[in-house]
Each structure stands twice: as C-alpha cells, then as structure tokens.
Amino acid sequence: MNMAGTETGDVILAARNIAKSFGGVHALKGVNFDVRAGQVTTLFGENGAGKSTLMKILSGVLQPSSGQILLDGNPVEFNSTSEAAAYGVSIIHQELSLATNLNVRDNIFLGREIHSAKGVDYAEETRQTQAIMDDLEEAIDPLVPVDSLRLGQQQIVEIARALSVNSRILIMDEPTSALSAAEVTVLFGVINELKTRGVSIVYISHHLEEALQVTDEAVVLRDGSMVASAPRDEINLAWVVQKMVGRHFDLGTPPEFDQDCAPALEIRDLSIRMVAAGGKAVTDLNLSVRPGEITCIYGLMGAGRTELLECLAGRIPAESGEILLRGHDISDLGIPERIRNGLVLVPEDRQRDGLVQAMSVGRNLSLASILDFCRGLLVSDRREREIVNRAIREVTVKTDGPDAPVSSLSGGNQQKVVIGKMLATSPSVMVLDEPSRGVDVGAKGEVFRLLADHAEKGLAVIYSTSEVEECIAIAHRIIVMHRGRIVAEFSNDATKEEIMAASGEAVIA
C-alpha cells in the first residue's frame, strides 16, 4: 500500500460531475464526491438514490456516461474491477458475489492465487485466511464450503476477501446487513485499525445509527444528486433522515386486532435439528399468533430465528412437534401445499431465494399464484395481468412496468416484489425473515406500513429482525430467542436495553 505524500484528510479519490444513465433513467446527475485519506466517508440515501451506482463507477464495475475520476489529483479510468484494484480501490458489494461451490480460502484468493515453485501454495493461502478470520474474531474454517455457511458468515467471508487485498480505498456497500451486533463491533474495530494505517473507507449502510458511529463525514444522495454533506460533529440521526427523505420519519404503530379470536397459527413443542451440525437449532418452542396480530422475533445470530421461520414454511423439516394453521396440522405438508393453505415466507436472502433474476417484475410477482391463472396447459394472460397490476399497485413497486427486468430494481423495490408475490396468494399467515435487510429508511417504512395495513385486514404477521427499533415499531409482541429457545416476551412498550439484555447482547454505546 503506497501512501507516500498523502496526509490524513487529503482528498485522494474524487468524482467530478459524474453522470450515469440507463436508457431514459438518469441514475446520477453530475455528482461531485470526495474520499479523504484515513477517514470514513458515509454515503446515505434511499434505495434508487444512486449510491450503489456511484460506488460501482468508483470501483470499475461501471463506467460513467460523463464526468471524471481523479486519483491523487490525476485523471484515471477504471474499465474493470481489476484495473481499480491495481490502483488500490476495492469494493464489498451489497449483494454477495461468492463462488458458493468453493471453500472459504479459495473464495478469498480467487483470481490472485499465491504461487510457489510447486504451483499454488495452498498452505500459505490457508494460513493467511486463518489470520484474517482471527482478526475478525470469527471461528470459520478456511476449508469449509461457502454454501454450508449461513448468510451472516458468508458476509464475513466477503469482508475478509476485501481486507486481504490491502487496498488504499475500501468501499463497503452494506457490509453489516447480515451481521450480529457483536460482529458489527468487531468490524468497527477493524475499520478503526485500517484508518490508523491511512486506508480510506467509503461506507454505505441503511443502519443509520450504526453508520454514525464510524463516520467522519456524511454525504447524502437523493434522486441521483448530492443534496447535503457535513462533518460528523455537525450532524445527527434526524439530520440524516430529513436530508434523505425530505421529511421526518417513523415506522408506524401497531394496528388494532381481536385478542379473543382463535389463533391463526399455533406452534406446539417444536424442535428443529441443526442443518450442518449436531444439536438443535430450536428446542421445544411454543407460540401462537392470532389474525391481525404482528409478532416480532428478535435474537442474535444462531438464536434459531431463521430455522424457525423456514421450518414454518416447509423449507426445513421439524424433528418433533406440531404446526397448526387455523387448527389444522400442516407439519407433513410441503411448501406448495402450505402456500395453498395460506402460510407464506418472505426469505432472508431475496436474491437467492426470493426472486428469479432472469424473469421480469411481472413474472416474479405472479410466480406463486400460477395456479390462479393456469388451467391445465392453458394460461389466462388476462388473469395474470390482473394479479400483477394489482400487486404493483398494492405494494407500490417503482418500476418501468411489469415487463422490466426485476434485476433493474433497487433493493427496496425488489423486496416489495417478493412481498407482493406472496401477498398475491391471499395468505392468512405471513412470515418474514429480516424483511428490511438492505432496505433504506424510506422503503423500510413502506414495507412496515404494508404489513400493518394487511394485518388490519386480518393477516397474521411474524417477522424476525436484528434491529431493535423495528421490534418496537409495529409489533404487538416481541419474542426474544436465545440458543433455540424463547427466553423473553415483551409488549411494544419495552425498552431497547430490555430487549437486547434478554437476548444476551451487549448494548452498543
């Protein structure tokens, strides 16, 4: 890493009048952006504001339609990520880009293997991988296949790969979206260590309070334009939210529901075996949710939240216990049968499990309702269009139309497509695993208002989250899990400290 002649605070990378268009869509409109040596510049903005587009230009993934990039005051062109990396610019993408068929070590050194006289020096690669994992305080075996890791662990591998390059400028696009609070604390320690070495960090996160802990300067994008910038000591959370969305914001309140009606969903003595190891992910869990009730499940990584929700949806089997949907045992039913009976899942990883990237917005929205417009080999295009158009209206997807590629949408709108797809089946129970992951504050509010609106119509909602503020926002009840068991239950007047303490989590100052 060559930092000669660069003092902390000096501008080392600059974007000047950067514009980027995709057809008729202007993603960036003459943006000016500075990256300073040894500092963290945090880029705030709603989904679709242009943050990821700007970062992809700075890291060589995309080329600007117009404008200029300056490195150490000199014009440069990054025609690929490898060219950007050669200049010392690396990026951790929001959506994981790992080769899941390879192990952790091979992912970290993919395309830049360490060679010796005898060929690839796998022993040295393993040693360096283990050293990075030790720095990140992660007990991940360098030789374990990536596809056997949970999403949060895969996020750690993505971060480790970027850290292994020893870049001058490290762009972090949603690096903590799948991390526990303890892992976030470790990552922030790593960021502070990188700063002392003179490394510049560009940080993007929808976890606003979390991002403010590490930022030195905040920059806000809205609709492809820079609308504000200020040093950390001049801003607070309210300033960020107001600049992002142009108004003050909250996630709403829980709707009224009938507490005396029969449960929509009952879970009785449910136990789930761990997928990749011995022991239980969930042990003897009991829970019931009524129509119109919104229940939040909170817990650290490894608490069993995802296993519970995936078992309810039929993705993984129960070892023992019962799952009753409106009084009927559905424990032996497969995923399609559970959907037809009214229980649907919005998965944690929308890219891998929630969307078909090669399909259009409309085809994704209608996929789970295919039996409603198919009769044998015949397809009713009119009926499909009705389902798709209604879903686009109800979940307010911002798209050029049902024929637009789903991959062209922002993260928040992709999440609304996944939710809209499942709502189109007219469910009685919806379970959502981290529904706001990678979603900005504006889209997050839209998602939670959508859930509250449907709960008011009788939909039973269960969602998991790793953000305490989301527990308190619209949930009637907050269930805290720890090591596969329910350890506490709160109403929505609980404090952040009470919820985090029950989960075994240290409160971040």
Side-chain angles (χ1 to χ4, degrees):
M1 184 186 309
N2 179 18
M3 299 297 298
T6 303
E7 298 293 333
T8 299
D10 287 350
V11 174
I12 60 171
L13 184 68
R16 292 292 175 260
N17 300 314
I18 294 292
K20 180 64 178 178
S21 298
F22 299 94
V25 178
H26 300 287
L28 295 174
K29 307 166 186 175
V31 170
N32 292 287
F33 180 76
D34 292 336
V35 179
R36 299 180 182 278
Q39 293 189 3
V40 177
T41 303
T42 303
L43 191 58
F44 294 104
E46 294 188 86
N47 283 107
K51 305 184 305 297
S52 292
T53 300
L54 178 60
M55 294 305 100
K56 287 177 180 178
I57 288 172
L58 294 181
S59 60
V61 178
L62 298 172
Q63 283 70 53
S65 301
S66 62
Q68 192 175 51
I69 299 173
L70 304 176
L71 183 66
D72 297 322
N74 301 310
V76 292
E77 291 185 9
F78 299 149
N79 295 306
S80 67
T81 54
S82 57
E83 283 190 19
Y87 282 100
V89 182
S90 298
I91 184 169
I92 299 169
H93 292 284
Q94 176 181 350
E95 305 299 345
L96 301 182
S97 57
L98 300 172
T100 55
N101 59 314
L102 300 179
N103 63 32
V104 171
R105 177 201 65 199
D106 291 347
N107 265 276
I108 288 177
F109 288 96
L110 186 63
R112 52 182 195 87
E113 291 78 7
I114 298 173
H115 291 275
S116 67
K118 297 180 180 179
V120 176
D121 191 341
Y122 292 112
E124 178 60 19
E125 289 185 359
T126 302
R127 187 196 67 76
Q128 291 190 25
T129 300
Q130 187 62 63
I132 296 171
M133 291 302 166
D134 291 344
D135 286 343
L136 291 171
E137 298 180 20
E138 282 291 329
I140 298 177
D141 185 341
L143 301 183
V144 72
V146 164
D147 61 5
S148 69
L149 300 177
R150 298 299 302 173
L151 183 62
Q153 293 174 309
Q154 291 185 17
Q155 187 101 54
I156 290 291
V157 175
E158 187 89 44
I159 292 168
R161 182 168 63 181
L163 293 177
S164 70
V165 181
N166 291 324
S167 302
R168 293 182 66 193
I169 301 161
L170 182 57
I171 299 169
M172 296 183 167
D173 192 354
E174 294 288 344
T176 66
S177 57
L179 303 187
S180 68
E183 288 168 327
V184 170
T185 300
V186 172
L187 178 61
F188 284 0
V190 171
I191 288 174
N192 287 328
E193 172 63 22
L194 291 172
K195 285 172 58 178
T196 64
R197 300 184 206 167
V199 177
S200 305
I201 310 288
V202 181
Y203 193 91
I204 299 175
S205 178
H206 293 127
H207 300 274
L208 306 185
E209 290 181 283
E210 179 187 280
L212 287 174
Q213 295 178 52
V214 291
T215 190
D216 294 304
E217 183 167 4
V219 175
V220 182
L221 285 183
R222 192 195 308 161
D223 297 327
S225 300
M226 184 192 291
V227 295
S229 64
R232 175 64 184 91
D233 59 4
E234 295 181 10
I235 66 172
N236 56 23
L237 181 62
W239 181 92
V240 174
V241 173
Q242 197 277 329
K243 297 299 182 184
M244 280 177 59
V245 300
R247 62 191 185 279
H248 294 290
F249 203 82
D250 66 71
L251 295 178
T253 56
E256 296 293 328
F257 79 101
D258 183 359
Q259 301 185 38
D260 297 322
C261 63
L265 180 72
E266 291 181 87
I267 305 167
R268 297 178 179 174
D269 300 320
L270 186 69
S271 293
I272 305 168
R273 178 71 56 179
M274 283 187 178
V275 175
K280 293 183 179 180
V282 173
T283 303
D284 299 330
L285 187 140
N286 290 276
L287 181 66
S288 64
V289 183
R290 286 168 166 63
E293 184 178 14
I294 302 175
T295 301
C296 172
I297 299 178
Y298 181 82
L300 303 178
M301 187 177 296
R305 296 175 302 150
T306 292
E307 289 84 356
L308 171 61
L309 299 188
E310 291 191 346
C311 181
L312 294 180
R315 294 190 65 183
I316 59 177
E319 183 180 57
S320 59
E322 294 179 310
I323 301 170
L324 303 181
L325 184 63
R326 300 189 304 279
H328 301 287
D329 191 352
I330 62 168
S331 304
D332 294 329
L333 298 184
I335 295 174
E337 290 79 13
R338 296 191 194 202
I339 293 174
R340 283 198 290 273
N341 278 273
L343 192 154
V344 297
L345 168 70
V346 174
E348 179 182 25
D349 190 340
R350 62 174 172 265
Q351 295 289 330
R352 184 181 66 185
D353 301 325
L355 298 169
V356 180
Q357 294 292 330
M359 285 185 175
S360 66
V361 171
R363 285 296 162 87
N364 269 280
L365 282 166
S366 66
L367 197 57
S369 309
I370 192 167
L371 294 180
D372 291 346
F373 55 87
C374 287
R375 294 293 181 269
L377 297 177
L378 300 178
V379 177
S380 171
D381 290 336
R382 179 188 61 79
R383 177 62 181 145
E384 183 181 14
R385 283 196 302 273
E386 289 175 356
I387 291 172
V388 169
N389 290 333
R390 183 176 69 247
I392 289 175
R393 285 195 309 273
E394 286 187 355
V395 299
T396 61
V397 179
K398 295 176 183 176
T399 174
D400 289 338
D403 295 329
V406 75
S407 58
S408 68
L409 302 186
S410 66
N413 281 294
Q414 287 186 4
Q415 184 73 322
K416 286 193 278 187
V417 168
V418 180
I419 294 172
K421 174 180 70 174
M422 304 320 300
L423 286 175
T425 67
S426 301
S428 56
V429 178
M430 173 175 276
V431 296
L432 306 96
D433 195 359
E434 294 278 5
S436 69
R437 179 178 177 264
V439 171
D440 67 71
V441 66
K444 184 186 298 185
E446 292 175 0
V447 166
F448 281 110
R449 280 196 298 274
L450 183 66
L451 296 179
D453 288 346
H454 281 269
E456 206 163 14
K457 299 172 185 175
L459 178 68
V461 176
I462 305 174
Y463 70 95
S464 74
T465 182
S466 54
E467 292 194 51
V468 185
E469 290 78 8
E470 292 179 10
C471 297
I472 300 168
I474 65 162
H476 298 98
R477 280 191 300 159
I478 301 155
I479 304 297
V480 180
M481 290 185 66
H482 180 69
R483 296 184 178 177
R485 297 179 184 272
I486 293 176
V487 294
E489 180 175 323
F490 298 99
S491 62
N492 63 359
D493 60 358
T495 66
K496 175 179 177 178
E497 289 74 19
E498 287 173 332
I499 296 169
M500 295 179 75
S503 73
E505 182 176 358
V507 179
I508 300 175

